[in-house]
Amino acid sequence: MLNTSLLSYGTFAKTLTFPLLKFMSKPTDLKTLLKPIRVKKIQGANFNPLIQNLALHSQCVQPGSLFFVVSGAEHDGADFIDEAVSRGAQVIVTEKLFPHLRNILQVQVEDVREAMSKVAKVFYGAPDTKLALTGVTGTSGKTTTTWLLQHIYETAYGQSSGLLGSLHYNLGK
């Protein structure tokens, strides 16, 4: 569970655009990305564009992006659709269609968050099936423990290892 007092929606949303996983992404056609989700309706032009980027935050949209319209506790992603489109979003994934977006492809789904997780899994090559993860929790000593574990994985086992923490991140090799 996220501590929302420490992490604003904007920071969280920018994190979910997965800039750290950019090296794992590869441009993928929309039909491939939509295979694992249940689509209610598709509306707009160009029914199978090549998606270059996934974005949950309008400021992270780049040309060729697929933008997820998510309602949050403080902000509604629908309020940022025009900004996302002006930044180059090709596709909008939403729970309700927007009639004013005639030239933008809209994919209507029942649950945007569920669709987002399934689309991201395809776009980033199912990293959950390729990575071994170790989580460290507790009151104190987490940073030291994770640094020690990373060192052990890399030196004793010869495995490339990354580290994501609140103080820093290291993607390894």
Side-chain angles (χ1 to χ4, degrees):
M1 169 113 86
L2 290 173
N3 182 341
T4 54
S5 64
L6 297 177
L7 190 62
S8 71
Y9 172 77
T11 304
F12 179 62
K14 286 179 183 177
T15 303
L16 285 182
T17 59
F18 303 111
L20 299 178
L21 296 179
K22 192 68 178 166
F23 70 95
M24 296 175 70
S25 69
K26 64 178 183 176
T28 308
D29 66 277
L30 183 63
K31 285 183 183 178
T32 300
L33 294 175
L34 297 181
K35 281 181 185 175
I37 66 173
R38 220 173 335 169
V39 174
K40 289 172 75 175
K41 186 175 183 179
I42 297 179
Q43 176 177 297
N46 190 2
F47 285 105
N48 196 26
L50 193 62
I51 303 301
Q52 304 287 334
N53 181 47
L54 303 181
L56 173 62
H57 195 284
S58 60
Q59 291 180 352
C60 295
V61 170
Q62 303 165 4
S65 289
L66 185 151
F67 178 65
F68 296 96
V69 179
V70 178
S71 296
E74 295 179 27
H75 302 284
D76 186 351
D79 296 337
F80 302 96
I81 290 174
D82 292 333
E83 180 183 355
V85 169
S86 72
R87 289 177 173 269
Q90 280 190 289
V91 179
I92 306 294
V93 177
T94 180
E95 292 173 4
K96 70 173 196 167
L97 297 174
F98 299 92
H100 76 282
L101 296 175
R102 292 192 176 104
N103 296 326
I104 298 298
L105 184 58
Q106 298 178 68
V107 177
Q108 185 181 21
V109 296
E110 189 70 36
D111 183 344
V112 171
R113 286 177 174 86
E114 180 182 342
M116 181 173 49
S117 69
K118 291 178 179 179
V119 167
K121 182 174 182 171
V122 173
F123 188 75
Y124 293 106
D128 61 320
T129 63
K130 299 173 186 162
L131 297 173
L133 301 176
T134 303
V136 178
T137 63
T139 305
S140 59
K142 294 180 294 297
T143 299
T144 301
T145 301
T146 56
W147 288 9
L148 288 170
L149 285 172
Q150 183 180 33
H151 183 74
I152 290 168
Y153 290 151
E154 290 179 351
T155 57
Y157 298 110
Q159 296 180 353
S160 179
S161 177
L163 188 148
L164 299 173
S166 56
L167 298 180
H168 90 213
Y169 65 87
N170 172 346
L171 296 179
K173 298 176 180 123

